[in-house]
Amino acid sequence: MDHLRILFSVNGLMKDVFDEEDLVATNETTADDVADWDSTNHIRLIMAIEEAFEIRFAPEEITAPENVGELVALISSKLAARSDVSGAGGMHSARS
């Protein structure tokens, strides 16, 4: 799955988690740019991403990304690693 498709999917998840239908996330978007992006909603977003993409983040990865672009890159690397191991790739579901 390419970067733009992941970004589009993450944007849909962010709309759901932050309850902000007009949200448009870019690679440069940070928690400071989203009114309801607090620590609780960050964990909710991580859990939504893990479920949608069928991946798991290590504890140190949960707070590592500085912006959405870094989060998308982390998701991409996990999908690629999973694909290398199982031959599978993709995403379970995410609202766009």
Side-chain angles (χ1 to χ4, degrees):
M1 182 176 284
D2 67 40
H3 186 90
L4 286 178
R5 286 186 61 194
I6 296 170
L7 177 61
F8 184 76
S9 297
V10 168
N11 189 72
L13 294 169
M14 290 174 69
K15 287 179 179 184
D16 287 343
V17 168
F18 303 128
D19 195 28
E20 194 173 323
E21 281 302 313
D22 296 331
L23 179 67
V24 178
T26 68
N27 288 317
E28 292 78 29
T29 301
T30 68
D32 291 337
D33 300 321
V34 182
D36 289 334
W37 196 339
D38 57 17
S39 59
T40 301
N41 279 335
H42 181 76
I43 296 302
R44 290 181 61 226
L45 177 61
I46 292 298
M47 290 171 51
I49 289 169
E50 287 182 331
E51 182 179 337
F53 290 96
E54 299 179 337
I55 59 175
R56 291 290 171 250
F57 292 105
E60 63 274 7
E61 293 172 323
I62 291 172
T63 58
E66 296 285 326
N67 56 42
V68 171
E70 289 181 13
L71 181 58
V72 169
L74 180 58
I75 295 166
S76 181
S77 70
K78 290 196 164 289
L79 291 175
R82 184 183 69 200
S83 182
D84 289 345
V85 171
S86 68
M91 192 179 98
H92 181 272
S93 67
R95 193 173 129 219
S96 14

